[in-house]
Amino acid sequence: MTKESDRLAQLERIARIKAERELKRFAAFSLHMAQAQNHAGAMRTALDQSYRSTAPLSVAEARIANAQAGRSARELRQAEAEVARMLPRFDAARRDAAREFGRAEVLLSLSALRRADEKAPRY
């Protein structure tokens, strides 16, 4: 007959495997999210730089600058929309990873408590 602490330890190992899988999934998603946020930040910087330019421009240069500012504004809007679309899934992945990690930690502590109870002398 297996001890209850052994069964809890087996459950904890399974929970660790699931937690590692969720943490890896979250890490990949986090990297993708960071890249999307960096892209949006780069578009904000490009747009800001186009409006802060104080150099005198000819009519042709002003048209080119205006076209570049418009393109940067469109790309910024698209990048921010992509980040907004990803945010709910990102939050869900973070919650899943935290839940699985917490489950593994609880099973570890329960297993340790049960093992200590089993080793304690019985009077």
Side-chain angles (χ1 to χ4, degrees):
M1 180 174 154
T2 62
K3 296 179 184 175
E4 189 174 347
S5 62
D6 292 338
R7 284 184 280 162
L8 285 171
Q10 289 172 344
L11 287 174
E12 185 263 334
R13 282 190 291 274
I14 292 168
R16 284 273 171 223
I17 292 168
K18 289 173 76 175
E20 286 177 14
R21 186 186 68 216
E22 288 297 326
L23 287 171
K24 286 178 184 177
R25 182 174 160 251
F26 174 68
F29 206 128
S30 181
L31 179 65
H32 187 63
M33 185 73 157
Q35 289 173 342
Q37 289 172 334
N38 288 341
H39 180 67
M43 292 301 101
R44 265 188 224 95
T45 302
L47 187 59
D48 186 52
Q49 287 174 350
S50 69
Y51 284 116
R52 292 199 184 276
S53 176
T54 58
L57 301 173
S58 66
V59 173
E61 290 171 333
R63 286 182 182 150
I64 291 171
N66 188 33
Q68 288 173 342
R71 187 182 70 240
S72 292
R74 284 187 300 278
E75 287 180 14
L76 174 59
R77 188 178 65 232
Q78 289 172 348
E80 287 177 341
E82 180 182 353
V83 169
R85 275 192 312 272
M86 290 172 53
L87 195 57
R89 293 187 316 249
F90 178 75
D91 290 337
R94 182 176 50 217
R95 275 192 314 271
D96 291 345
R99 183 182 60 241
E100 292 298 330
F101 181 75
R103 182 176 292 143
E105 289 298 310
V106 166
L107 286 168
L108 176 66
S109 61
L110 284 174
S111 176
L113 285 173
R114 184 60 63 185
R115 194 170 290 118
D117 285 346
E118 289 171 355
K119 288 182 179 180
R122 306 232 179 221
Y123 298 107

